[in-house]
Amino acid sequence: MTSQVSSPAEQADGAVVGEQRKAAGIKDVRRLDRVIIRFAGDSGDGMQLTGDRFTSETASFGNDLSTLPNFPAEIRAPAGTLPGVSSFQLHFADHDILTPGDAPNVLVAMNPAALKANVEDLPRGAEIIVNTDEFTKRAMQKVGYGTNPLEDGSLDGYQLHPVPLTTLTVQALKDFSLSRKEAERSKNMFALGLLSWMYHRPTEGTEKFLQSKFAKKPDIAAANIAAFRAGWNFGETTEDFAVSYEVEPAAKAFPVGTYRNISGNLALAYGLIAASRQADLPLFLGSYPITPASDILHELSRHKNFGVRTFQAEDEIAGVGAALGAAFGGSLAVTTTSGPGVALKSETIGLAVSLELPLLVVDIQRGGPSTGLPTKTEQADLLQAMFGRNGEAPVPVVAPRTPADCFDAALEAARIALTYRTPVFLLSDGYLANGSEPWRIPELDELPDLTTQFAQGPNHTLEDGSEAFWPYKRDPQTLARPWAIPGTPGLEHRIGGIEKQDGTGNISYDPANHDFMVRTRQAKIDGIDVPDVEVDDPADAKVLVLGWGSTYGPITAAVRRLRAAGLPVAQAHLRHVNPFPRNLGDVLARFDKVVIPEMNLGQLATLIRAKYLVDAQSYTQVNGMPFKAEQLATALKEAIDG
């Protein structure tokens, strides 16, 4: 946590003013440039809701922000256990930031498990707000505490604030007709009120949210609002919190525009809707619920007014099959899933490659293999997206870099799919999907024109002079075949997974034709027009850090730290992983060392080494969590010094 530095004279004057304010009962207000807060408790303690509300108010206040929700895979893990701890981390600032932060300045721990699971992440001097009501002997023993950590001196290096959150919440709601258990459920709102006071967050939005959320239960709405206000008043009146903090809006961090807070999955859903409108095509989603992709299905199902149709299938195979059928019928077709679902969809994706129809395959990556870590993040599906089909079945791969960038990445994936008549992989991940940041809402004239022309009639003249429709006669620029809507008179043609004859689309077992079709499909993907990769290299560095997907934030934050320390390092980030940008080989050749951080065991590095014969160095982790900026900065410094 950082604050403005003052001179000794100013500090002396400030001390006098501080004593005067204290005598008058007025608490000090300190200005900070950034803060990292983590809310932690049981899955049932409402930590995600608490974090979401604090984030929403912070966004409305105008701070730049980045969030990291972290929750267990179990729907309801045993209460008070380490596996059941759910947390929400928020980093907000008065300037441009890129990550949820490495180490929290403030931890709100609702029970002993939350404290034990998170205290090692705190820097010395950090503030810890604990719910003392939950620190019973049995609760502490359950997580391995032999003595009470609030009393044994183990937390002396921190600013500890013991607060009986449960008791205070029950007292605040004593006039409501609620049982004690019902009243206790509002303790997260009490904590939210306290933190809102500490950091001068707006309150009106949260109260309106509670009224709306519990509109059918006005007593519950009133109780939660009362608990929220009680938390605010507690911060204002208690002597334990002598200081509150201000973080000014990040006015200089954002271009002029209208902003909202947005998660990656929400941005992706909006991007898909925008793509369908820009293409003037109905949007069809064929999906099966799977963490962490399900929110896209939930969101798109709310937008039937935009011509969106959502189909929750009985399994992954049915979901992608329905989507491919919708593509054949003339829709912008999408299927959403995570790694295990991609494995099940692989045969149908191969069929889409053979049929050469536009299909968006949205993979929100999570920890694997198999069921793996459903609620954690990973980047380990890249090689599956590239090669996870039988035969030579090339597919373009697009990867967003931030939660807000998921909107633009969806538009780009749709552009490629519609222009080149191909399935396209969009590789997001759990970190982007659940994280959030401010997003500038684009103007309509800023969106790309994705208008697509269907085949209208014959496109080939036979030797006898008659005209015919050839479903595999290609556009000479894109190599895309015509998109013929079923039922269009004169455009009847065969479909299916057996190899097609060039031009006619008839079934063909001819070896030369198969060789030609395989090479043509590959040439179509290789020829996709993608922007050149941009290199950020202000000081003629010898080391290049190359990333893809969600590593953008931690890499950029690490690069900033190194440059601030006077160390030259260049950075480039890939959105298009297949095909690679055409200038990538020249870029790589300019540097003595190339370091590729990935949340896998080096999948992009494998592709880079194979294609460009560059001895790229991998820096990897697969612990289900995103990189920390300090961690990457240390690794990159070693590469520079080496």
Side-chain angles (χ1 to χ4, degrees), residues 94-383:
D94 65 2
H95 57 277
D96 175 37
I97 58 173
L98 298 158
T99 74
D102 288 356
N105 308 119
V106 182
L107 171 66
V108 180
M110 303 298 281
N111 59 22
L115 176 64
K116 187 161 191 177
N118 293 281
V119 69
E120 291 185 0
D121 292 339
L122 302 180
R124 309 303 284 182
E127 294 191 74
I128 303 176
I129 301 171
V130 294
N131 180 13
T132 56
D133 289 326
E134 295 296 324
F135 279 72
T136 63
K137 183 177 181 180
R138 183 171 180 273
M140 289 185 289
Q141 289 177 341
K142 190 181 293 187
V143 295
Y145 279 128
T147 59
N148 189 336
L150 309 183
E151 301 172 352
D152 62 9
S154 60
L155 301 178
D156 286 350
Y158 307 99
Q159 300 179 55
L160 182 63
H161 300 281
V163 180
L165 288 172
T166 306
T167 298
L168 291 172
T169 302
V170 172
Q171 289 177 351
L173 304 182
K174 65 179 185 298
D175 294 332
F176 289 81
S177 300
L178 300 174
S179 66
R180 180 179 177 85
K181 186 175 182 179
E182 290 173 329
E184 289 178 357
R185 290 174 183 162
S186 297
K187 62 181 180 289
N188 64 324
M189 288 297 105
F190 189 99
L192 178 60
L194 173 57
L195 268 294
S196 297
W197 171 82
M198 282 183 66
Y199 292 97
H200 296 235
R201 299 297 91 183
T203 61
E204 295 82 1
T206 293
E207 294 193 7
K208 289 180 180 178
F209 168 81
L210 292 171
Q211 290 171 347
S212 174
K213 181 177 177 62
F214 299 107
K216 295 182 180 180
K217 299 179 179 179
D219 291 345
I220 300 297
N224 277 283
I225 292 172
F228 176 68
R229 291 174 177 173
W232 176 284
N233 293 333
F234 177 78
E236 183 72 24
T237 57
T238 183
E239 295 183 1
D240 191 37
F241 293 89
V243 178
S244 64
Y245 305 93
E246 284 186 348
V247 181
E248 292 294 317
K252 297 180 181 179
F254 304 121
V256 175
T258 302
Y259 287 79
R260 60 156 295 166
N261 183 51
I262 200 165
S263 68
N265 272 351
L266 184 58
L268 209 157
Y270 286 175
L272 293 173
I273 296 172
S276 74
R277 304 299 288 181
Q278 292 301 106
D280 196 23
L281 297 174
L283 178 64
F284 180 90
L285 173 66
S287 183
Y288 181 75
I290 183 171
T291 302
S294 298
D295 285 342
I296 302 172
L297 170 62
H298 301 159
E299 182 61 34
L300 289 180
S301 68
R302 300 187 177 104
H303 296 287
K304 297 180 180 64
N305 56 313
F306 287 115
V308 178
R309 291 185 179 181
T310 52
F311 171 55
Q312 180 174 318
E314 65 269 28
D315 55 40
E316 296 280 6
I317 298 172
V320 69
L324 184 56
F328 179 60
S331 293
L332 176 60
V334 185
T335 189
T336 52
T337 189
S338 192
V342 173
L344 292 167
K345 296 176 188 291
S346 62
E347 182 180 6
T348 304
I349 297 170
L351 176 59
V353 171
S354 176
L355 297 180
E356 300 190 44
L357 286 172
L359 173 68
L360 301 185
V361 182
V362 178
D363 177 7
I364 313 298
Q365 300 166 95
R366 71 190 204 188
S370 189
T371 307
L373 304 174
T375 61
K376 308 302 179 183
T377 193
E378 207 164 88
Q379 287 183 296
D381 293 350
L382 176 56
L383 294 184

